[in-house]
Amino acid sequence: MSQVSTRTVSDGEADLRLDRWFKRHYPWLGHAKLEKLLRTGQVRVDGGRAKASTRLEAGQAIRIPPLGEPPKDDDKPREPRPAKASPERIAELEAAILHRDDSVLVINKPPGLATQGGTGQSEHLDGLLGYLKFGAAERPRLVHRLDKDTSGVLLLARTASAAAKLANALKTREAHKLYWALVMGVPEHRQGKIQLALSKLPGAAGERMVADEDDGKNAVTLYRTVDTAGRRAAWLAMAPLTGRTHQLRVHAAAMGTPIVGDGKYGGAEAYLTGGVSRKLHLHARAIRLPHPDGGFLQVRAPLPQHMQATWDFLGLEIDKEADEWLE
């Protein structure tokens, strides 16, 4: 680009940050270069100065100064190709859809499928999202994450505007999440609040979170005991008020009741005998939050097969109380 031009913000880009708008349209323009253009007033929104964090509105005019020539003819970002997936995996993802509209897609993430790529991850949901476009111009976007071995409700945005609004709802605690977990033993108090700061501990065995009241980040979880299998195990409803990595797993272990199947934080004591699955028994049961197009969205996800089998084995029955929100 060798001269000044003007571009209009589309309806699907409303509420997108200005820096993310540039990332979508000019992916080869570095952040430092953009900041300089903003600082010197060369990039403007509706004729006025703007910041990288400025939220855009549909119909606004963005002044684009000369940016030099892009490395390729097309200045639009190329959508990544979907990772190769078997017909069975694609069918599984389509069958896992809990809700779909023009702005939001919600799936019941199967356990064992990583949300995003990482060391040793040959398959992950982010690489498969191209199979879930359903006629949309772009693939859906991840709005939050679940651990690889955690199942349940996972939000995907189908437009940039929806992604920004959903992310803001999650950040400002307008969203309410409900998890179900089976833990070893029974908590001393049937319900309560766990407030234990956490920090990351690097290591060869992978990312691990530890309690750290001095330098850790604040982490708060509400919990309620829904039912018990004697003193052997307890079914907990858990609501994270913060979003730290492995928060529910660490908090459950800190009470002396690690989540069944969580050898990482519960060690050998985190497994039940009698034929109960050794998989992690943690499930994102439900979410409730403002819908990007107005009103509220509330979605629940049925238990994965291994957890349902454990519920049946222990005689745990799902009723209305189990789905009550913790607030």
Side-chain angles (χ1 to χ4, degrees), residues 10 40 54 58 72 78 85 97-98 120 130 153 161 167 170 187 205 215 242-243 247 281 318 327:
S10 68
T40 56
T54 297
K72 295 182 180 180
R78 292 189 175 184
I97 293 172
L98 301 168
V153 173
S161 174
L170 291 165
D215 300 316
T242 51
Q247 176 176 319
H281 284 59
I318 298 172
E327 298 177 9

Side-chain angles (χ1 to χ4, degrees), residues 12 16 35 160 184 208 242 260 297 314:
L16 194 66
E35 286 286 3
M184 298 293 298
R208 181 182 177 86
T242 51
V260 172
L297 175 68
L314 297 177

